[in-house]
Every structure is written in structure tokens, then in C-alpha cells.
Amino acid sequence: MTAAGGDTQHGIRRRNLARVLRTVAAQGPLSRPAVAARIGLTRAGVAPLVDELLRAGLLVEAGRAATGGRGRPGGELAVSDRGPAGLGAEIGVDHLAVCAVDLRGRVRARLAADAANRHSAPGPVLRRLSALLAEVTDAIAAEGLRPAGLAVAVPGLVARGATTVVHAPNLGWRAADLAPGLAGATAPRDGSPALPLTVENEANLGALAELRLGGGGGRPGPPPDFVHVSAEIGIGAAVVVDGQLLRGARGFAGELGHVPVYPDGPVCGCGGRGCLEQYAGEEAVLRAGGLAPGQAAAAHPGPGARIGLLARRAADGDTAVVRALHEAGTALGIALAGAVNLLDPRAVVLGGALAGLAPWILPSLERELALRTAVAADSGRSAGPLVAVSRLGADGPLLGAAHAALQTVLDDPLHSCAPAHSPRNGTR
């Protein structure tokens, strides 16, 4: 049978199952009537959908809830803390990290390791990453969880809808397809189909994490239109319009780090001159603050270590570091002003390492935005977007990857309910 608009009955049912699961995952525990009200279906229409999700083990009844009417109270519905989990991985210049989240959004296992990935061939890096993935998978299997997908965050350009890293300057990778190197980590031992693999730019995944997790702790989540800026060694950005990533024709939107700030400036690794990364990237700030990047990396290895060093020096009143951070904020404000004038976002969200340096970067950044943006407030005063600091910080890309890996479950719940399995570590 075909419904109006060309939708099959099966397609409508699949979408409604997804709507029920997403609603309970985001807002539960909820009663059946509350679920029906939120998705605009009748109670009778929701009942069989809920029963299917209960049988599949994706929902559980978490107690009794009053219905407000006659009859027996219905059970409150919550997503299960067993069953599918999303595997997220991050390949950084100096580290690898893996985590798993369940349908409730809780991190159930996490591992990280220092790793000198700069100019290392993809093969050895992916073997080390596969070993971490195997450890995390074994850990969650002991808690009744099975991976439903794997998403990998990388600091570079990723071909749209593919698993190929087109160019990652700070890793030294070009045209690197990650799928073959992760085949062992996505192949189930029981012979069932391989896990879905997503490879995505780290700034994009940081923005997705901000959409999903940016609220909480008494603060609202981001507006539906914002620019998310993420930085460590390099600088990336993600543009979110009406709650969706703006990817560009090839998937390369958001390369803020290679926007020229001072066109006659130093040559950048991308081949251009005066790029933002040459003024606000980690190594540029270290140099401007009187710290040799190589020596700092050797003395302070691991993710966020040099950023922590800069923050401590700035807090102690180190004049050179404070001045370097002020100049980084100025350059970042100049680059962002172009994006703000072009896109008119409601907010700019600072994530990644920038979140830890915000007290010293924000004043000059906000000044440049105020001077250079043409957005007029209702009062007639010149005004730019809200500038906010992500509470997720450097964890954003990894958490965004893990949540992205659950997308297949949320999009098609019953299709994802294959027998439990775990990835095979190709290095063993």
C-alpha cells in the first residue's frame, strides 16, 4: 500500500518508530499519553509503536505514571541502558581517544592515549586506534551493550558522504581512506554486516555535540543558527543553519583556520599566506608568548597540555602570553567578522581549546566583532552575535562522534536491532 505523497506504510511506520524513540531519548521518562501528545499521534496509534520498541529492548518501563483519566496508569517509558551504543573516536595531532555512549546519552566507557600522529602514516595510527576501540567494545559488552556504529573525528577535510580524508595538513595526510584501516574494528565476529562507519571533520562533530549536549546546568542550548569554532593545533569551524550543518558542495565548509587575516602574513601549511591559524593556532600562540612549540610539546605532551600551560601562564600574569592571547583574539575576531556578516548567525560558540583560553581571548575578539559586523540590533545600535563558551570544551568532537554513531538506531530503530556483537580488533 502507498500513502499520500508516495510514502509506503512501512516507511511511515519506520519514521513513527524513530519519532517515538527520539522523543523518549530526549525527554523521557514519559508516559504513553505524553509521548502521543509530543509527536502528534493518538494514544491508540502510539501503543503498537511503543510495544515494538519494548520488545526490541530499546525502551523499558521505568515505573508507573498517572494518566489523568480512567483506567490503569501507564508505565513511564525510558530508553534502555543496554542494547545499542555509539562508538566515537578522535584522531588528534598528539592523541587518540575513544568513547561509547548509550541511548540515554551517558558515556559508558572511555579511553585516551598520547600519540605522536603528526606526519605518521595512516596505517599505524589506525592500528593503534583499532586497539583502543577493541578495549572499549569489550568493556561495554560486559554491561550488555553492543556497538551500533562508529564515527571518527579528524582534524581535516573529509569528502562529503565518504570515509576519505582529503587533506589534513596538521597530520600530513592526503587522500587517506580510513575504511580499510578500520575494517577490523567494524567487522563483527559473528559475520553480520559491518558497523556503519562515519568519518567527519572534528569541528562539525563538535557542533553536533553542542546541539545535543550544549544545554544543561541551568543554561540553554545553542540557538538553531550559530558558528562553532574549535581549536587546538589547527582551527576549524562549523556553521549550523536552522539546526543543520552547512556542509558546502564538497563537504569542506567551515575552514576558518585558513581564512586570510593579514594577506601579506607568513606562509601557512595550506599554501596560503596570513591565515588565521598563523596567529591563533596553538603553535602560533606559543611562539608569540615566548615558548618554543617543540620544547613545549616535549615537556607537556597530550591533549590540552599546552593549552593548560598557556592558561596557567596567563593567569599568573605572564605579559608575553597575555599579549599573545590578546592578538589571537584579535585575529579570530577579524576572521569571524566575515563569517558573521555573510551568514548572520545568532551566536558564535567557542569550543575545543579556545574554551579554556576564553578569559584572555574574548575581550579582543568581541571588540573586533563589534567594530566589523554590520548587523543592527532593534535598538539601532551596532551589534554582533552572542559569543558563548562551550561547556563541552575539548570533549566536544569525541562526544559528537559517539552520538553521531547512534544515528542509525535513531533513524531506523528496528532495523538496527541485530544480534549483539562486538568489533574484532585487527591487531590481535
Side-chain angles (χ1 to χ4, degrees), residues 257-325:
H258 299 291
V259 169
V261 175
Y262 304 110
D264 296 327
V267 175
C268 180
C270 72
R273 299 188 70 94
C275 295
L276 173 63
E277 201 167 287
Q278 298 303 303
Y279 303 95
E282 179 185 286
E283 292 184 354
V285 177
L286 286 168
R287 283 193 296 270
L291 301 167
Q295 294 176 3
H300 303 275
R306 273 88 64 200
I307 298 302
L309 171 65
L310 288 168
R312 289 192 298 274
R313 293 261 184 134
D316 290 340
D318 185 312
T319 304
V321 170
V322 171
R323 183 171 58 249
L325 292 174

Side-chain angles (χ1 to χ4, degrees), residues 87-101:
L87 286 179
E90 182 180 16
I91 299 174
V93 173
D94 57 5
H95 72 283
L96 297 171
V98 175
C99 78
V101 300

Side-chain angles (χ1 to χ4, degrees), residues 322-407:
V322 171
R323 183 171 58 249
L325 292 174
H326 172 86
E327 292 171 355
T330 297
L332 189 59
I334 293 171
L336 279 170
V340 167
N341 283 326
L342 182 65
L343 300 167
D344 189 22
R346 291 183 180 274
V348 171
V349 179
L350 299 185
L354 289 176
L357 298 174
W360 303 279
I361 287 178
L362 278 180
S364 54
L365 186 161
E366 291 180 320
R367 186 194 67 235
E368 292 299 325
L369 282 181
L371 288 172
R372 298 174 183 271
T373 54
V375 181
D378 291 341
S379 63
R381 294 182 295 107
S382 177
L386 168 72
V387 180
V389 180
S390 171
R391 71 181 187 89
L392 303 176
D395 289 338
L398 181 62
L399 293 174
H403 282 277
L406 281 174
Q407 200 64 37

Side-chain angles (χ1 to χ4, degrees), residues 139-208:
I140 64 172
E143 299 183 23
L145 290 164
R146 57 180 176 80
L150 168 62
V152 183
V154 295
L157 302 175
V158 179
R160 187 168 185 171
T163 57
T164 297
V165 179
V166 176
H167 189 202
N170 289 313
L171 292 175
W173 293 2
R174 280 188 180 273
D177 185 359
L178 304 195
L182 293 171
T186 57
R189 292 189 179 106
D190 62 5
S192 56
L195 298 177
L197 172 64
T198 301
V199 179
E200 181 64 272
N201 174 267
E202 55 89 20
N204 283 347
L205 289 171
L208 292 175

Side-chain angles (χ1 to χ4, degrees), residues 242-264:
D242 197 22
Q244 301 293 322
L245 280 173
L246 178 66
R247 296 184 177 276
R250 294 172 295 168
F252 300 165
E255 280 297 295
L256 187 71
H258 299 291
V259 169
V261 175
Y262 304 110
D264 296 327

Side-chain angles (χ1 to χ4, degrees), residues 25 29 60 62 78-82 84 101-108 212-213 403 406:
V60 295
V79 289
S80 175
D81 59 2
R82 300 169 69 85
V101 300
D102 61 19
L103 284 171
R104 299 188 182 192
R106 297 179 300 175
V107 175
R108 301 292 291 273
R212 177 78 185 266
L213 307 168
H403 282 277
L406 281 174

